[in-house]
Amino acid sequence: MKNEVQVTFPALIENASLARLMVMGVLTPLDVDTQQLTEIKTVVSEAMTNAIIHGYEGNPHGLIELKIELEDDRLAVMIKDNGVGIDDVEQAKQPLFTTKEEEERSGLGFMIMESFTDEFHVDSAPGVGTTVTFERKMVSK
Amino acid sequence: MSIGINVQTQGEIMFVTLTGELDQMTTDQVKLRLMTAMLAHGIKHIVFNLKGLAFMDSSGIGMMLGRYNQVKALGGKVFIIGMNPTISKVFHLSGLHQVMTVIDDEKQMMRVLEEAI
């Protein structure tokens, strides 16, 4: 079985929860436990929030592309923005690194995404944007 | 899904019960509500009850870290009750378990508070 969904969102913070719901919708046919689903929701939320807050710096006219693929038990997700990009991806991946300390950002986004996925990649270039891709094998009950 | 915030105070302790989803969209609402209550009641310690919280991402960690820094400046402490397994993982990844007290059993809450405060 293969399902593939692609959608483009304006960079509005309420669309982070919509993206989470869409990924959950694609996973509905699988009989997996709540913890796996919540972990995937967390990864999607982190990537969407990064795109909205950091990529587009709150500019609601930015567009975020979400692509969800489910083939048998393997989930693959891409979240892409055309925002400001990241100067140094390795530095951004460091725990507790944040450029927005005054806004009480924890700097944990990439660390959480890496922890809750099997494969995780960030491609970014300043002025071009950031693409986050991840894969996870979902384990049925 | 929105966030539910219940705040009760007892002396210098503020008991915060969160329900629903805590993400970037809802953290500002929680932050504002808690900061207002802290100022109004002279709060020094915070107890977060997360039993009804279905979802929390790192935005929630940032919000809790902000409140921790506030009460720490007053010599206060932060306690957490009722984390689901995913929230617990995020919490441990953040390192907050090293500075906040996790109370596993809600029935033990008052005893733990009496001993710690």
Side-chain angles (χ1 to χ4, degrees), chain A residues 13-17 20 34-36 38-39 41-42 45-46 49 53 95-96 102-109 111-112 115-116, chain B residues 1 21 23-25 28 31 35 54-59 61-67 70 84-87 89-90 93-95:
Chain A
I13 197 61
E14 53 266 43
N15 285 337
S17 60
R20 296 199 297 264
T34 309
Q35 188 174 342
Q36 287 180 78
T38 314
E39 288 181 5
K41 277 172 79 172
T42 309
S45 200
E46 297 295 342
T49 303
I53 301 292
L96 307 181
E102 70 286 358
E103 294 177 17
E104 296 188 353
R105 302 285 304 151
S106 68
L108 286 173
M111 191 182 180
I112 290 170
S115 299
F116 289 166
Chain B
M1 195 175 184
E21 301 204 334
D23 63 5
Q24 184 64 31
M25 193 173 76
D28 280 351
K31 180 181 166 182
M35 286 179 76
F55 175 80
M56 182 180 89
D57 64 14
S58 67
S59 312
I61 294 290
M63 187 281 295
M64 289 203 285
L65 185 59
R67 304 295 71 69
Q70 270 189 295
N84 74 33
T86 307
I87 292 176
K89 270 192 189 179
V90 171
L93 282 171
S94 73

Side-chain angles (χ1 to χ4, degrees), chain A residues 47-137:
Chain A
M48 285 292 294
T49 303
N50 274 355
I52 296 162
I53 301 292
H54 296 285
Y56 290 118
E57 300 181 308
N59 174 6
H61 300 296
L63 293 175
I64 300 169
E65 201 181 316
L66 169 69
K67 191 175 173 187
I68 313 160
E69 281 180 24
L70 181 67
E71 187 163 12
D72 300 322
D73 59 358
R74 181 152 290 275
L75 174 73
V77 175
M78 181 196 80
I79 293 169
K80 181 182 179 187
D81 69 64
N82 299 305
V84 297
I86 302 168
D87 289 331
D88 185 339
V89 172
E90 287 313 308
Q91 184 190 35
K93 282 182 176 178
Q94 293 305 306
L96 307 181
F97 175 82
T98 179
T99 55
K100 298 194 183 299
E101 204 163 332
E102 70 286 358
E103 294 177 17
E104 296 188 353
R105 302 285 304 151
S106 68
L108 286 173
F110 285 135
M111 191 182 180
I112 290 170
M113 290 186 248
E114 281 190 317
S115 299
F116 289 166
T117 54
D118 298 330
E119 296 282 340
F120 172 72
H121 300 286
V122 184
D123 293 314
S124 190
V128 177
T130 302
T131 303
V132 167
T133 51
F134 72 85
E135 288 187 26
R136 175 146 169 187
K137 183 183 186 322

